[in-house]
Amino acid sequence: MKVGIINVTGYAGVELARLLRNHPEAEIVSVTGRSAVGGKLGDVFPHLSNIDLVIEPELGKSVDVAFSALPQVASAEAVVPLVRGGVKVVDISADFRLHDPVEYETWYKSVHPAPGLLEESVYGLTELNRDDVASANLVANPGCYPTGALLALAPLASQGLMQPEVVIDSKSGVSGAGRGFSLLTHYSEVNENVQAYGLDGHRHLPEITQELGRLMPDAEPKVTFVPHLIPMTRGIFSACYVRPKDGALVSGGKATARLMDLYRDFYADDSFVKVATSPPATKQTWGNNDCLVYPVADERAGCLVLLSCIDNLVKGAAGQAIQNMNLMFGLPESAGLEGLAVYP
Amino acid sequence: MKVGIINVTGYAGVELARLLRNHPEAEIVSVTGRSAVGGKLGDVFPHLSNIDLVIEPELGKSVDVAFSALPQVASAEAVVPLVRGGVKVVDISADFRLHDPVEYETWYKSVHPAPGLLEESVYGLTELNRDDVASANLVANPGCYPTGALLALAPLASQGLMQPEVVIDSKSGVSGAGRGFSLLTHYSEVNENVQAYGLDGHRHLPEITQELGRLMPDAEPKVTFVPHLIPMTRGIFSACYVRPKDGALVSGGKATARLMDLYRDFYADDSFVKVATSPPATKQTWGNNDCLVYPVADERAGCLVLLSCIDNLVKGAAGQAIQNMNLMFGLPESAGLEGLAVYP
Amino acid sequence: MKVGIINVTGYAGVELARLLRNHPEAEIVSVTGRSAVGGKLGDVFPHLSNIDLVIEPELGKSVDVAFSALPQVASAEAVVPLVRGGVKVVDISADFRLHDPVEYETWYKSVHPAPGLLEESVYGLTELNRDDVASANLVANPGCYPTGALLALAPLASQGLMQPEVVIDSKSGVSGAGRGFSLLTHYSEVNENVQAYGLDGHRHLPEITQELGRLMPDAEPKVTFVPHLIPMTRGIFSACYVRPKDGALVSGGKATARLMDLYRDFYADDSFVKVATSPPATKQTWGNNDCLVYPVADERAGCLVLLSCIDNLVKGAAGQAIQNMNLMFGLPESAGLEGLAVYP
Amino acid sequence: MKVGIINVTGYAGVELARLLRNHPEAEIVSVTGRSAVGGKLGDVFPHLSNIDLVIEPELGKSVDVAFSALPQVASAEAVVPLVRGGVKVVDISADFRLHDPVEYETWYKSVHPAPGLLEESVYGLTELNRDDVASANLVANPGCYPTGALLALAPLASQGLMQPEVVIDSKSGVSGAGRGFSLLTHYSEVNENVQAYGLDGHRHLPEITQELGRLMPDAEPKVTFVPHLIPMTRGIFSACYVRPKDGALVSGGKATARLMDLYRDFYADDSFVKVATSPPATKQTWGNNDCLVYPVADERAGCLVLLSCIDNLVKGAAGQAIQNMNLMFGLPESAGLEGLAVYP
């Protein structure tokens, strides 16, 4: 299987390269960049020196599948001719996540560059959409925050067990902000510091609301989403707070155990989503494709607390993209993704 | 004013020493420790080498005021004879925070060691209790989490503007866990990691509930409190989520501005509590006694988000203790606390 | 190939488990611990939950090869019966690194527990000792500092090009200090801090001196070794400073280029030791078995600067141990070690 | 005393503002910036909100003393009219550190902008140049690396006790690279990483060589200087390696004790330079003006190891600048600099 990576020079791009290098069925044949064009991949990123490729301005060889790690708008533009030409595409940008082009324009301040592809694109939160992904030609890979938050909420939401008001308080490592420069990626500003951002509406909010709405079609979710930047490189920890529809879910002294059963059942067949047996930590997913979920019932206050941990660059980006590719080509879902987390 | 520090060898203790060293009216005359007894303070803690004292087993000279930085139970036992002997005391432990000895026993798994002093002790969240502190002989210095959370919620709670259900999602630096050893203070376990803890009930929860109940006497607060450990040394960032009693508070497009006015009025006379003009960050309080608060109305979801930042060892411990001492002795509240945050 | 890990519960032990899990020819069949005996490996270390084993008090099944990650003395004691029983052993402790039992006693304050095995043990710095490792039954896996320092110096030392006085200034992440508790592993003490330690003689010094002496048999190396602890989890960066024997090596304006050639030739056949094309960084080896070396000639001052980077838990411990195992069993040297560094 | 800060918006500038805010004799009356002009200082830097000033394009009021925190070249240009107009100036840039304009041009790739002022400028490493600073109108504040390295070496160098070959291996926090953007200040690139840089000659090298040459006029120092970037915000740790002129200095078993005496005598009258009683750590100087020095004799290898720790933004920049200002105005040297280090 010949693979191309569009814009390999960002963090999602290099992570795709790292993971695909050891994929048993895939071979990276072409990588492009918006910077460093003409350079050897291993000179620009020494940890990739085992991959003998030059960074090209455009995908150079015929590929069976392409990953786009471009920013929105540019990504859709690059993807259209590929999809039209029969190449399967996993788009890591936000371009095909929101089904409604009006909503897209509201949040991304740009007319959608390829509204004609919206209908055939599939939202690639693998565990919640496995069948559609398997038959898709264009997968919209989810945002990092939506991945963790939706996996924490899905068992409750899909069974109509929660009220529509949701608070999602997420803590992210800095790599989520990419390799670009700003005070939010400046070491001396971020180290020994924690701050909330996107308080007037983060772009991942409509994505969470859209997918939560699909999971609980009888309700209209009201999501408060507050992402925080914390001083670490990788990892997202999301704490989701909801009230149960049925008070029984938080009473009787064994509510957490019942929740656990519910979650274990829901994810029984998913190798990458694990219901933790003790409170999870992002480091337990460092560098691999796991999502750890952990539900707790706060019986005193009548509140459900749903926790999840992922590596934002793996399950939150490159890893899930490969998981989707595996499905699209009929491979085992975990092919190339079997590395354990690097701990400590 | 002659000052003694009981158990100077923990982080609250050394922070008291650091701050008191430059206090214009106070002189540290005696320090005790449970370890390193007989050692010179400056040999054990080189950053305190300008203070020429030996660590003693017990307070050695007559003091006008004593700070206890012992753990609970031991602290009450040390404090009783001092208070009885006419020494003013600021107790940084949890021993005199909860008014109800039954509640104390429930959370601290020990019979209260000095229930007779509970009535005269004053909860020292200075801004909310200034008059009582000024006339107290025994001040119970608040926990670090309650300090930040209560200052974020007080303007709403005290004016009856919020529903009783509260979610408090706090992120703390590791120094809050003290100088003792555990996997929660082990560098390789904590670095590049974030985790929630205390999910079955953190000891600061009853303290928050008690004081919130005093602020909103007509309601029974239902608090869900989830503390997180993040990879930094100092700082607590708390995000509090509540629903307004009056829907008007989150509608009309200018809700955040109205909230801001409410908060600015409430804290107009408090030099250490500052309503931030942009989303705050813990680093802006690093090493000093400020608490930054920042209210946001999420009009989409009908939720109020109340943020606060403190340095857990200063406003969350040693700094507020000195602020209380200043009030108890009729000094300017900010005496010895005028250092700005160290940034970056 | 059936593999056992003795003392899986330390950092070298869990790293062995992580790497061996995906080894194409090896299967972990038994793991022991000094703590957590009886617990499931995946409950104690959630990132290893894909390995379905219980932590036992002793190696439980017949194994073809055993790794010992016990501390010194205890390790030798555990290893003797295995070696005598025909099990091949890679010992990660210090017990079989120093050939001279008197030297061992001087540095480790204990009579050597198994002097009879010293002769047949082989010092497993793979690249410098490949043939002996291949035929060994007992390999003494090198210390983390010696691995990085010796690989940086070997091309010069083995060709008699340097004076015998060597300064090695190393910077290590905290995981090198293990999972035990001390102020050197306490987060709040180590974060935002750098310090030298072992100034009266680190235990890795005699190991470096011994092996350097083997490389340059006509000289008596005089090594000054100063390790530093820096605030990161993994990685060792060593800067070695030597004077050339022949002044020509640091003159003429192209000295660095000539050094580069020398190093590239020396390591031409080693897949894990890479001569970097730009100044290396430890992060480029994070989680994998590479050692990056980089020589620079300071022509102004007449000094050679030899830099190296490794992951202390991989090339500095578990990875090199597996590399040695591969040689001992005639497998490709890189089997199971093909994962790229996790970056960023 | 009316003080102006030129370019307050960099890290040296905000640190000057933080420290001067509590100086008993100085009042900041004007601050300039190259960005954020017209903004309130407290809006741009919330930790400075107690200082009620607007950032101006040029120094606005008559000042008695000005600090320039501009980059080189721009700084000299800004400083010339001030000095000519009778304002005392402490220049934190590199412009007046090198006495030889040819050397300046070699290292800074620019003709010196004000060679006429070179003669009257004084190199402000306070402890080594106290008298000249006291009578100066223009002080060139030393670089951060030279400050730590020279204080570590001065007792030996000034008494002719060391050979001229010196290795200086320094480890710096990231704030030394300023508030500008590059991969060397990008969080995800720097965190969990250590790297050497400036291997072809760092600009602080000629400054170290010049001043070392003044201390040991009979020798021609040969300095190898390798700075490293480590994942922390503040602090520089320098390890200097030299050979003694007189072998007696590293023999006899008590060499370290004799060295200690030498250092204690040398710095007996300096309140900010402290000979540590145990191996020092940068955190012990975090936020204050101390320099900790610690000499060790490696008798085995015949080498002297001289260690020093500073906060690069205080003793390495703003703090030493204020120390110099104090001398220039006949104030106590420690005025405004009495805050202890913030620990942990």
Side-chain angles (χ1 to χ4, degrees), chain A residues 169 189 192 233 241 286 343, chain B residues 169 189 192 233 241 286 343:
Chain A
D169 185 299
E189 302 284 323
E192 272 293 301
T233 301
Y241 303 90
W286 221 92
Y343 182 98
Chain B
D169 185 299
E189 302 283 323
E192 273 293 302
T233 301
Y241 303 91
W286 220 92
Y343 181 99

Side-chain angles (χ1 to χ4, degrees), chain C residues 165 169 171 188-189 191-194 224 226 228 232-234 241 243 281-283 286 298 301 303 343-344, chain D residues 165 169 171 188-189 191-194 224 228 232-234 241 243 281-283 286 298 301 303 343-344:
Chain C
E165 291 83 13
D169 184 300
K171 300 90 186 166
S188 303
E189 301 284 323
N191 186 42
E192 274 292 300
N193 201 5
V194 50
T224 296
V226 180
H228 298 73
M232 62 184 205
T233 301
R234 286 175 179 241
Y241 303 91
R243 308 268 155 195
T282 54
K283 194 188 268 283
W286 220 92
D298 178 355
C303 180
Y343 181 98
Chain D
E165 291 83 12
D169 184 299
K171 301 89 185 167
S188 303
E189 302 283 323
N191 187 42
E192 274 292 301
N193 202 4
V194 50
T224 297
H228 298 73
M232 61 183 205
T233 302
R234 286 175 179 240
Y241 303 91
R243 307 270 155 193
T282 54
K283 195 188 266 283
W286 221 93
D298 178 355
C303 179
Y343 182 99

Side-chain angles (χ1 to χ4, degrees), chain B residues 263-328:
Chain B
Y263 273 64
R264 285 202 194 98
D265 284 352
F266 189 87
Y267 288 119
D269 297 329
D270 293 302
S271 63
F272 290 120
V273 183
K274 291 169 176 157
V275 184
T277 56
S278 57
T282 54
K283 196 189 266 282
Q284 293 158 359
T285 66
W286 220 92
N288 94 338
N289 199 50
D290 284 348
C291 174
L292 303 180
V293 296
Y294 191 76
V296 180
D298 178 355
E299 298 198 13
R300 282 184 205 88
C303 179
L304 301 177
V305 183
L306 301 323
L307 308 176
S308 74
C309 294
I310 58 169
D311 182 322
N312 55 301
L313 293 178
V314 190
K315 183 62 179 172
Q320 185 156 249
I322 293 170
Q323 189 182 358
N324 285 325
M325 177 196 77
N326 288 339
L327 279 178
M328 294 162 86

Side-chain angles (χ1 to χ4, degrees), chain D residues 233-251:
Chain D
T233 302
R234 286 175 179 240
I236 292 179
F237 189 104
S238 290
C240 308
Y241 303 91
V242 299
R243 307 270 155 193
K245 250 196 174 152
D246 176 0
L249 212 59
V250 284
S251 63

